[in-house]
């Protein structure tokens, strides 16, 4: 610290203000990064909630399209080429829906239960159409009795389970993501508060250190001068510094 003591008071003050400025700049830089991270996290939370809702709309559209294909096949007015085309389209939709369901994000037990129910009812609907509608028509065989009624019942069950899943995602899912957003915000707020507190403490310690370096020799000088004024001429001031006080 001797090198610091030998600096002039002006230089000491400038060094102190410079260090304090660096600390403030560091806190500001970290704060900007925290805000950027907060925006990224909130964007991810929004995406995690919005993407499944978009998928639910796709599921609904796919079910309606599958129902339309089934009605066309059940009408009995389709030729062999049209039947093959309708079945190929329906199978493609089934495969896409199954793949999307495997990646469907759930964030609560209620959502998990609802997704499993919809997955099972959709699979039952797909298996029924495959075994009792598509294959017989492709093999040019007659359909069994009540196929239309059974197909409609399985479709309705799938729609009902999809509505239950949509309700769970819109309510319990929204609540979970709300808590997640609040947690991210709270964490960022407390981090910034702690950093500001640390910066204030460091600034106070830095100011105290500079004050001690400057005032301590002055206090010692005053004591010696008081002793000399009292008649003690043996007192001497030991000069070990080259700043204004030492001079």
């Amino acid at each position: 610290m001797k090198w610091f003591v030998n600096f002039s008071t002006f230089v000491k003050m400038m060094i102190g203000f410079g260090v304090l400025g660096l600390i403030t700049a560091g806190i500001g830089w970290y704060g900007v990064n925290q805000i950027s991270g907060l925006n990224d996290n909130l964007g991810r939370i929004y995406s995690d909630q919005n993407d499944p809702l978009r998928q639910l709309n796709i599921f609904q559209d796919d079910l309606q399209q599958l129902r339309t294909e089934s009605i066309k096949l059940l009408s009995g007015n389709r030729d062999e080429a049209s039947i093959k085309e309708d079945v190929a389209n329906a199978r493609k939709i089934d495969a896409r829906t199954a793949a999307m369901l495997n990646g469907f994000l759930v964030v609560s037990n209620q959502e998990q239960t609802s997704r499993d129910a919809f997955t099972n009812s959709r699979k039952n609907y797909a298996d029924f159409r495959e075994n009792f509608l598509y294959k017989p028509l492709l093999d040019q065989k007659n359909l069994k009795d009540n196929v239309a009624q059974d197909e409609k019942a399985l479709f309705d069950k799938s729609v009902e389970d999809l509505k239950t899943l949509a309700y769970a995602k819109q309510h319990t899912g929204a609540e979970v993501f709300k808590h997640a957003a609040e947690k991210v915000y709270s964490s960022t707020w407390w981090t910034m508060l702690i950093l500001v507190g640390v910066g204030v403490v460091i600034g106070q310690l830095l100011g105290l250190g500079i004050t001690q370096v400057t005032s301590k020799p002055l206090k010692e000088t005053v004591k010696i001068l008081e002793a000399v004024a009292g008649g003690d001429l043996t007192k001497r001031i030991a000069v070990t510094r080259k700043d204004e006080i030492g001079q």
Side-chain angles (χ1 to χ4, degrees):
M1 285 293 293
K2 187 175 181 179
W3 61 270
F4 183 74
V5 172
N6 290 330
F7 286 138
S8 67
T9 302
F10 175 77
V11 173
K12 291 187 184 76
M13 296 299 294
M14 292 303 297
I15 291 175
F17 286 130
V19 172
L20 188 59
L22 289 174
I23 294 173
T24 303
I27 293 174
W29 175 81
Y30 186 83
V32 171
N33 284 340
Q34 284 291 99
I35 293 174
S36 177
L38 174 64
N39 290 333
D40 291 341
N41 287 330
L42 292 177
R44 175 185 55 79
I45 291 171
Y46 173 80
S47 177
D48 288 345
Q49 175 66 1
N50 187 63
D51 286 349
L53 294 176
R54 178 181 56 82
Q55 291 176 325
L56 289 172
N57 289 330
I58 295 176
F59 294 154
Q60 182 177 7
D61 292 340
D62 285 350
L63 278 177
Q64 294 296 337
Q65 191 171 351
L66 287 170
R67 175 61 176 157
T68 300
E69 296 291 349
S70 295
I71 291 174
K72 289 191 295 185
L73 292 171
L74 289 167
S75 66
N77 298 324
R78 311 292 287 174
D79 56 30
E80 184 177 354
S82 298
I83 291 174
K84 290 182 179 179
E85 181 180 357
D86 293 341
V87 170
N89 289 336
R91 286 172 172 171
K92 184 177 180 180
I93 295 172
D94 278 325
R96 180 180 64 189
T97 303
M100 290 181 64
L101 267 175
N102 288 334
F104 188 81
L105 179 64
V106 294
V107 295
S108 68
N109 292 333
Q110 184 177 352
E111 287 185 22
Q112 180 68 55
T113 301
S114 299
R115 186 187 70 172
D116 292 344
F118 175 63
T119 299
N120 291 332
S121 60
R122 188 214 63 82
K123 186 176 184 303
N124 292 336
Y125 183 44
D127 291 343
F128 178 85
R129 285 180 283 108
E130 184 67 33
N131 295 321
F132 296 98
L133 186 59
Y134 302 159
K135 288 183 179 180
L137 289 176
L138 290 174
D139 294 338
Q140 297 183 349
K141 295 180 180 179
N142 293 329
L143 299 177
K144 294 184 177 181
D145 295 337
N146 299 323
V147 168
Q149 292 87 337
D150 293 341
E151 188 274 341
K152 177 64 166 57
L154 290 171
F155 168 78
D156 290 342
K157 174 61 175 168
S158 296
V159 171
E160 179 183 350
D161 289 340
L162 177 59
K163 289 180 179 179
T164 302
L165 175 58
Y167 179 86
K169 174 56 70 175
Q170 291 171 352
H171 292 79
T172 62
E175 190 67 24
V176 169
F177 284 113
K178 176 184 176 182
H179 289 318
E182 290 175 347
K183 183 177 180 180
V184 170
Y185 174 80
S186 177
S187 174
T188 302
W189 189 87
W190 277 108
T191 300
M192 290 300 300
L193 184 62
I194 291 172
L195 284 176
V196 171
V198 170
V200 170
V201 171
I202 293 176
Q204 292 290 333
L205 292 176
L206 185 62
L208 179 61
I210 294 175
T211 301
Q212 288 293 324
V213 170
T214 304
S215 64
K216 185 177 180 180
L218 291 177
K219 292 179 180 179
E220 293 176 352
T221 301
V222 169
K223 288 181 179 180
I224 293 175
L225 291 175
E226 288 176 346
V228 171
D232 186 359
L233 301 179
T234 62
K235 296 292 185 181
R236 294 289 186 273
I237 299 175
V239 179
T240 60
R241 50 199 297 162
K242 299 178 181 180
D243 59 356
E244 294 95 329
I245 298 173
Q247 295 172 0

